[in-house]
Amino acid sequence: MNDNAQQIVRMQQLNKHFGSLHVLKNIDMHITPGEVVVVIGASGSGKSTLIRCINGLEEFQSGSLEVDGNELLPNGKSGQALQTIRTEVGMVFQQFNLFPHLSVIDNVTLAPMKVRGWNRSDALEAAKRLLDRVGIADQADKYPSQLSGGQQQRVALARALAMEPRLMLFDEPTSALDPEMIGEVLDAMRELAKEGMTMVIVTHEMGFAREVADRVVFIHQGEITEEGPPEQLFDKPRHERTQSFLARVLKH
């Protein structure tokens, strides 16, 4: 990572509470354009909450967070900056969250038309290109209920990309999929990484993390315990907590 490059995410001393529960503790994280950062850790460690803070889906209570030059303020007082960030940051969730009453192509064209103000012909052209890019151009006229889970998740990916985001967030995008469908979603994400998309990925897929990440961040009980290039973190983890976590997950 080039420390001198402009940072697309700058998070400093960020703290997040759910009531009395301290979920994120003094998080410092900086991400540069084109970087792929994979966040790993046990369930309940704060991984998903961390990336949901980046696009304002979760409020934080103290610290600072800047996304693509827009500052998010603690306790949900961000105003216009939040709306700007949500148009610049795409997100793919565990569940596909597609509109069941809309066809695949209409799911993908909706946001560019409503939010970006594109005309239908431009939105359709972009949507067809994106569906081809994620390998499901032949499914454009179907409805979500007619697709497999892997296909639905790739539609969700195309829908997020349709907004031409500067940053993509993935919250365990394969955890709701059957094993045979995981590969097709990871393949689409690999292509994005090759194309230079800035990505923050929460995943339990350690082989994928090792392959695509520029940097792996390990979170334990709301704190960043260790981070580094995948070859360092997976092969020579320095922290005992990282070692015990990897010993558990890599033997499965």
Side-chain angles (χ1 to χ4, degrees):
M1 182 179 69
N2 181 358
D3 290 330
N4 296 320
Q6 181 186 0
Q7 293 166 344
I8 195 165
V9 176
R10 187 193 309 255
M11 186 181 290
Q12 294 178 299
Q13 294 294 293
L14 185 137
N15 286 274
K16 164 69 182 172
H17 299 263
F18 287 121
S20 61
L21 188 63
H22 197 173
V23 184
L24 296 175
K25 303 169 184 173
N26 299 316
I27 298 288
D28 290 324
M29 177 184 274
H30 304 129
I31 298 165
T32 56
E35 193 177 16
V36 178
V37 176
V38 174
V39 183
I40 64 172
S43 296
S45 59
K47 308 182 302 294
S48 294
T49 303
L50 173 66
I51 65 166
R52 289 168 67 88
C53 284
I54 293 174
N55 67 351
L57 285 177
E58 294 286 357
E59 299 173 3
F60 59 98
Q61 279 65 57
S62 67
S64 65
L65 175 56
E66 196 174 291
V67 182
D68 201 18
N70 300 283
E71 186 178 5
L72 280 172
L73 299 176
N75 300 308
K77 297 177 180 175
S78 303
Q80 183 58 43
L82 178 59
Q83 298 308 117
T84 303
I85 286 168
R86 287 193 176 157
T87 62
E88 301 297 331
V89 178
M91 187 157 183
V92 177
F93 300 87
Q94 295 178 38
Q95 303 298 332
F96 322 123
N97 296 338
L98 299 175
F99 293 109
H101 63 290
L102 296 180
S103 67
V104 164
I105 196 84
D106 288 339
N107 263 282
V108 178
T109 58
L110 183 65
M113 292 168 62
K114 293 278 189 186
V115 180
R116 296 270 191 218
W118 292 12
N119 64 49
R120 181 160 177 81
S121 63
D122 288 344
L124 278 172
E125 183 180 335
K128 288 173 183 175
R129 188 174 67 250
L130 287 168
L131 290 172
D132 183 58
R133 186 173 167 187
V134 298
I136 48 171
D138 57 339
Q139 308 295 323
D141 295 324
K142 291 186 178 178
Y143 286 83
S145 62
Q146 298 173 291
L147 305 181
S148 70
Q151 289 171 327
Q152 289 186 62
Q153 192 60 297
R154 284 185 283 162
V155 175
L157 176 54
R159 180 180 61 179
L161 292 172
M163 288 291 287
E164 299 185 335
R166 297 258 293 133
L167 169 68
M168 282 290 295
L169 308 176
F170 294 86
D171 186 7
E172 300 192 27
T174 60
S175 65
L177 300 178
D178 294 332
E180 64 270 19
M181 297 174 186
I182 290 173
E184 58 194 52
V185 174
L186 294 181
D187 284 345
M189 293 170 65
R190 280 187 189 94
E191 289 304 311
L192 272 187
K194 287 177 188 172
E195 292 165 14
M197 173 64 74
T198 312
M199 301 161 71
V200 185
I201 306 166
V202 171
T203 186
H204 290 293
E205 301 290 334
M206 296 299 150
F208 174 73
R210 181 191 286 270
E211 179 187 346
V212 303
D214 296 305
R215 181 159 46 104
V216 180
V217 175
F218 171 63
I219 293 187
H220 178 75
Q221 295 181 356
E223 296 180 281
I224 294 180
T225 302
E226 186 169 351
E227 61 181 305
E231 58 273 15
Q232 180 263 306
L233 194 130
F234 285 113
D235 297 333
K236 298 176 183 175
R238 294 188 292 266
H239 201 289
E240 184 182 339
R241 287 172 180 161
T242 318
Q243 294 165 8
S244 62
F245 170 77
L246 291 173
R248 276 200 316 277
V249 298
L250 294 178
K251 71 182 179 184
H252 293 301

